[in-house]
Amino acid sequence: MKLVKKSFPISFLRQQKRFYSLDLLLKDKSSNKTTTTLLKKPFSIYVHWPFCSSICHYCDFNRYKRDLIEIQNINQTEDALGSKMLNSYEKILDTFLQQEQQQDNNFLSKDTHTLSSIFFGGGTPSTANPKVFEKIILKALHYFPNDNNHTTFTTNSNTNFTTNFNEKNRGNGGQLGRVVGGEGEIEISMEANPTSMEISKLRDFKSVGINRLSIGIQSLTEESLNFLGRKHSSIEALKAIELAKQLFNKVSIDLIFGIPLHKKNPKVWLNDLERALGLGLDHISLYQLTIEKNTKLHRMLNGGEFVMPDEEEMAYLYESTIKMCEEYGLKLYEVSNFAREGHECKHNVLYWKGIDDFIGIGPGAHGRITNRKTNQRYATIQTLKPEDWIEQVNDDFNNKKILLGNRKEEELDEKQRVEELFMVGLRLVNEGISEEALKTINNKLTLENVLSNAGNNVIRQLEENNYIIYDREKKILKATLKGITVLDELIPTLLY
């Protein structure tokens, strides 16, 4: 059958939940009484650190090459870029979260929400001064302390992170880690590059509260690393992984498949993957290379310098990837993510569920936030260029915006919210989209009436051709492995 083609605005998905009903009836068997318990909704904070020491050939993310000394300088008496960035992050969080603790708040409250995760993405967050992230973490926990641990904590502002790192605290994140770690911990992830300079700071980042590390390996083959414009070697990558495993309980790596070398010889990718899987990691992210405009690879492709794998070759690489990961105990839980059971990335799952809130702060960061009184949901985007973002944060101080530094705040209508739920929810291969999730948009919505636009014949054909699984009894819709490879066409076919 022929699928409909339609493009969706999905740039916020590049930033990498559980749904909880606010009212849950709990039965006390001993007294035969029914009580109502309020369960808090999870939310996350995404922090974009836009700076890189070099620009990779494939990257079109919001990233900027700046002097490393200047971005790491957070001396409050100097007019350094790092200091201005830190001040802006703190100002956004203070203004928004402090306001939300007032009785007339509209969005987040300690009474209704719990902080589930913080994710430092980029750019290259490992180029930052660890103290920047410490202050952001402390600020977030001040307003939303871990529900399972209300311990009061302090940090020494003069701490030398490397020399004062306590080896006895390895695995629980040092002083701050004792607050965010443990049962029901707040997941605090950071992206890092495996260059020797950045890896030397991992102990510092661990000591300020980072408890999950995602390393941008991309390949363990020198030829592939050179093609992608990466500045590390395969030996540096392996050393970085080994050190990260010693320091962090949760470590993930990124790899890229579908480069021209894999077209010539698919075994190069499969050997790369098997080598990575042999490292015993609990989580791995595997991305298909896409050639984006305004990148070096785009210019090279247009110049005829290489040929990309075709759809059939890409499909073989992806299917072989899924099979090999399963053989090593890592199951596909989202289009590009594999994990052992219980080791899925909390932060990314919250994104893909598509119903909970995440605050996006930092240049170009995207967010989604819902007015808990009116159920209006807003898409937010922060100003792109770091220097402009810093200026915008200060200029917005007297303006009524949801977040300082936003260049766009758009209220999403019901159609947009349904589209977005399908766009992200179907990426979760084991969970899909439930009718319960639809009802967070509008209590009158059902899967049956949303899918009625496609018609029963189209839905049956999609089922018969193994694109979707529609459980009418449980009221859940999932995309099959065949379906997730064509989501851009499958989603509009389902909705229109």
Side-chain angles (χ1 to χ4, degrees):
M1 66 175 295
K2 188 175 181 180
L3 300 177
V4 177
K5 288 191 176 182
K6 179 181 171 71
S7 61
F8 290 92
I10 59 171
S11 59
F12 84 96
L13 296 179
R14 293 176 181 172
Q15 295 173 177
Q16 304 280 315
K17 72 190 129 190
R18 293 221 159 47
F19 169 70
Y20 299 104
S21 173
L22 283 179
D23 295 303
L24 178 68
L25 294 178
L26 298 177
K27 195 81 169 179
D28 184 340
K29 294 181 180 179
S30 61
S31 62
N32 203 32
K33 292 180 180 179
T34 299
T35 59
T36 302
T37 301
L38 187 69
L39 291 184
K40 296 181 180 181
K41 288 174 66 69
F43 81 97
S44 293
I45 299 174
Y46 173 78
V47 183
H48 191 75
W49 180 260
F51 304 115
C52 293
S53 57
S54 63
I55 306 300
C56 299
H57 297 169
Y58 57 89
C59 183
D60 74 331
F61 290 3
N62 189 43
R63 74 287 184 266
Y64 302 87
K65 189 175 179 180
R66 296 287 188 271
D67 181 76
L68 290 179
I69 296 176
E70 186 181 0
I71 64 173
Q72 292 185 35
N73 185 350
I74 58 169
N75 188 330
Q76 301 297 319
T77 63
E78 296 186 20
D79 199 28
L81 184 56
S83 210
K84 291 181 178 179
M85 291 291 293
L86 173 57
N87 290 338
S88 297
Y89 287 127
E90 290 192 299
K91 192 174 290 186
I92 294 172
L93 287 175
D94 267 330
T95 304
F96 178 70
L97 296 180
Q98 191 173 49
Q99 174 183 305
E100 289 307 303
Q101 303 313 309
Q102 308 303 317
Q103 287 187 348
D104 60 346
N105 71 78
N106 294 317
F107 297 103
L108 302 174
S109 164
K110 283 187 288 188
D111 296 329
T112 59
H113 291 77
T114 183
L115 180 58
S116 172
S117 63
I118 303 172
F119 194 102
F120 294 95
T124 310
S126 50
T127 61
N129 185 325
K131 195 115 185 120
V132 172
F133 294 172
E134 178 194 40
K135 288 182 178 291
I136 292 172
I137 295 167
L138 289 172
K139 188 74 68 178
L141 292 178
H142 171 73
Y143 291 107
F144 286 87
N146 188 341
D147 286 346
N148 296 291
N149 190 340
H150 294 279
T151 304
T152 301
F153 56 91
T154 58
T155 57
N156 179 359
S157 60
N158 296 316
T159 297
N160 180 306
F161 296 113
T162 300
T163 59
N164 287 285
F165 179 80
N166 186 345
E167 292 295 322
K168 292 181 180 179
N169 289 334
R170 178 178 292 175
N172 69 3
Q175 184 179 12
L176 185 53
R178 290 195 292 274
V179 177
V180 299
E183 188 68 25
E185 70 176 0
I186 298 172
E187 179 187 87
I188 304 182
S189 301
M190 185 189 79
E191 296 175 341
N193 274 343
T195 62
S196 56
M197 179 191 71
E198 291 169 45
I199 290 304
S200 67
K201 296 160 60 180
L202 286 187
R203 285 185 173 84
D204 301 349
F205 285 112
K206 177 71 173 179
S207 72
V208 303
I210 302 299
N211 57 26
R212 182 180 181 276
L213 194 71
S214 178
I215 311 176
I217 301 299
Q218 314 313 353
S219 178
L220 292 171
T221 303
E222 302 304 329
E223 186 177 349
S224 300
L225 289 170
N226 291 334
F227 174 79
L228 295 169
R230 302 295 286 172
K231 297 303 180 183
H232 64 272
S233 67
S234 59
I235 293 175
E236 283 181 304
L238 292 170
K239 286 181 179 179
I241 295 169
E242 189 57 37
L243 177 60
K245 287 169 63 178
Q246 293 174 23
L247 294 172
F248 299 88
N249 291 330
K250 299 178 181 179
V251 178
S252 179
I253 63 171
D254 294 354
L255 294 176
I256 293 176
F257 69 91
I259 67 174
L261 182 59
H262 301 159
K263 177 183 178 70
K264 297 175 183 176
N265 186 358
K267 288 186 177 180
V268 172
W269 163 246
L270 297 177
N271 290 339
D272 229 14
L273 177 60
E274 187 166 26
R275 192 178 178 191
L277 291 171
L279 299 173
L281 298 169
D282 295 320
H283 189 285
I284 190 167
S285 298
L286 307 172
Y287 300 103
Q288 177 182 312
L289 177 65
T290 55
I291 306 298
E292 306 290 351
K293 292 181 179 179
N294 302 317
T295 64
K296 183 173 181 178
L297 288 188
H298 187 262
R299 295 189 291 272
M300 291 170 63
L301 181 64
N302 287 344
E305 295 183 43
F306 63 84
V307 178
M308 288 289 289
D310 58 31
E311 286 188 14
E312 189 173 320
E313 290 165 332
M314 283 291 196
Y316 169 76
L317 291 171
Y318 187 54
E319 290 166 6
S320 301
T321 294
I322 295 172
K323 182 179 179 181
M324 185 178 292
C325 285
E326 287 183 346
E327 291 173 354
Y328 278 83
L330 275 69
K331 292 186 178 181
L332 180 74
Y333 72 93
E334 187 275 330
V335 172
S336 301
N337 289 280
F338 301 74
R340 300 187 203 282
E341 187 174 355
H343 291 270
E344 299 84 356
C345 176
K346 283 185 185 179
H347 192 83
N348 285 343
V349 170
L350 186 143
Y351 279 171
W352 305 131
K353 286 280 185 134
I355 57 175
D356 289 318
D357 292 345
F358 56 96
I359 303 169
I361 66 171
H366 288 249
R368 294 291 184 273
I369 190 161
T370 309
N371 186 312
R372 62 190 182 86
K373 297 177 181 178
T374 64
N375 200 35
Q376 294 167 291
R377 188 165 174 86
Y378 297 87
T380 65
I381 309 175
Q382 300 249 284
T383 297
L384 291 172
K385 189 177 177 182
E387 292 81 2
D388 293 342
W389 172 74
I390 292 168
E391 184 178 349
Q392 184 77 47
V393 169
N394 291 312
D395 289 348
D396 282 346
F397 211 67
N398 296 317
N399 297 332
K400 289 186 177 180
K401 286 190 174 182
I402 298 174
L403 288 175
L404 301 181
N406 279 346
R407 68 182 176 94
K408 184 177 181 180
E409 295 180 351
E410 177 189 3
E411 182 184 344
L412 302 175
D413 60 30
E414 184 174 297
K415 180 182 177 183
Q416 289 173 308
R417 292 177 69 176
V418 171
E419 283 182 348
E420 193 164 282
L421 179 61
F422 271 67
M423 181 172 61
V424 295
L426 288 178
R427 294 177 67 98
L428 290 172
V429 294
N430 298 319
E431 300 185 41
I433 298 167
S434 68
E435 189 167 291
E436 188 177 19
L438 273 174
K439 289 186 179 297
T440 64
I441 300 172
N442 183 333
N443 196 47
K444 296 180 180 179
L445 286 176
T446 65
L447 270 175
E448 184 179 2
N449 63 36
V450 168
L451 296 174
S452 64
N453 291 328
N456 290 331
N457 288 337
V458 171
I459 298 301
R460 279 197 297 270
Q461 287 181 57
L462 290 172
E463 290 179 286
E464 291 169 1
N465 286 277
N466 196 31
Y467 285 105
I468 62 170
I469 299 171
Y470 182 16
D471 189 326
R472 291 164 177 80
E473 183 178 343
K474 293 183 179 178
K475 299 179 181 178
I476 295 175
L477 178 71
K478 300 178 184 179
T480 62
L481 291 181
K482 181 179 179 182
I484 63 174
T485 63
V486 290
L487 278 182
D488 286 347
E489 299 174 32
L490 177 61
I491 293 167
T493 302
L494 288 166
L495 295 176
Y496 308 113

